[in-house]
Amino acid sequence: WTTTIGVFIDYSVANSDISHNTFQNLSPQVLYQYTDESLGVSGIFGYGFSNTTINYNAFDTVNEGIKIFFDHADGKNVHINNNTFTNVHRMAIELQSGSTDGLEVAYNNVSKPLTPWRESFGISAAMVGSNATVHDNIVDDQLPCLGSGCWVGIALEAWGASTQVFRSEEHTSELQ
């Protein structure tokens, strides 16, 4: 499954920068799918990030743009900013597990979902942690859901202690 991932980090990454890259058409598997929680086909997929920036990347025709599990490292000072996501099938940004401190997800633009399904939405910052800020993002999912049980329309999901979500903008269509 890692053959359809642009950048795969199998254990941890620290003091790093993944910026100014384009992840496009990684696998035809994402085209015309109406289900698939575990498809793979991610631009960046990894475990254990800390003191790392993921900025100014373009993601086009992927299942997930950025998927990070915060374990195996301290999760401090991760910045995911100014990225562009188009034709994403499941989630543009999915952040899960473990602990973070000082996570920032900002100035990202998510548009034109690709054949969305019931768990397709913009940004998920569902990890245990503190002091996360999710701000100034745009999620535009103006596309009717074609499968059954659609959940399209969820722009942001955020958890954690002292988490702040502000100045984000969502544009959605009516669900069918």
Side-chain angles (χ1 to χ4, degrees), residues 8-173:
F8 178 66
I9 290 111
D10 68 347
Y11 191 75
S12 68
V13 64
N15 305 312
S16 298
D17 180 36
I18 304 170
S19 298
H20 301 281
N21 299 291
T22 298
F23 302 94
Q24 184 173 13
N25 300 323
L26 297 176
S27 170
Q29 288 178 304
V30 299
L31 300 174
Y32 311 110
Q33 293 285 324
Y34 296 105
T35 61
D36 76 52
E37 191 166 341
S38 307
L39 184 61
V41 193
S42 299
I44 299 169
F45 183 137
Y47 299 87
F49 281 55
S50 63
N51 299 311
T52 296
T53 57
I54 302 173
N55 298 329
Y56 298 102
N57 296 291
F59 301 85
D60 185 357
T61 315
V62 295
N63 187 46
E64 293 186 310
I66 299 169
K67 183 173 186 171
I68 299 173
F69 290 92
F70 286 96
D71 51 4
H72 308 304
D74 62 15
K76 291 182 181 174
N77 303 316
V78 175
H79 300 274
I80 301 171
N81 301 332
N82 297 295
N83 298 288
T84 303
F85 303 86
T86 54
N87 299 309
V88 175
H89 176 56
R90 185 161 183 262
M91 291 185 204
I93 302 171
E94 181 180 15
L95 310 171
Q96 301 234 343
S97 293
S99 185
T100 63
D101 186 12
L103 170 73
E104 179 186 42
V105 180
Y107 308 106
N108 297 290
N109 189 317
V110 180
S111 65
K112 299 179 188 172
L114 178 65
T115 55
W117 70 299
R118 65 182 179 162
E119 291 188 13
S120 293
F121 54 98
I123 298 170
S124 172
M127 67 286 138
V128 177
S130 59
N131 304 311
T133 56
V134 180
H135 65 91
D136 296 291
N137 297 287
I138 296 174
V139 178
D140 184 351
D141 65 355
Q142 294 186 17
L143 182 69
C145 187
L146 303 173
S148 64
C150 297
W151 294 356
V152 176
I154 300 173
L156 300 171
E157 173 185 42
W159 298 355
S162 302
T163 296
Q164 297 180 48
V165 178
F166 56 92
R167 285 193 311 264
S168 292
E169 188 174 327
E170 174 189 17
H171 302 273
T172 61
S173 60

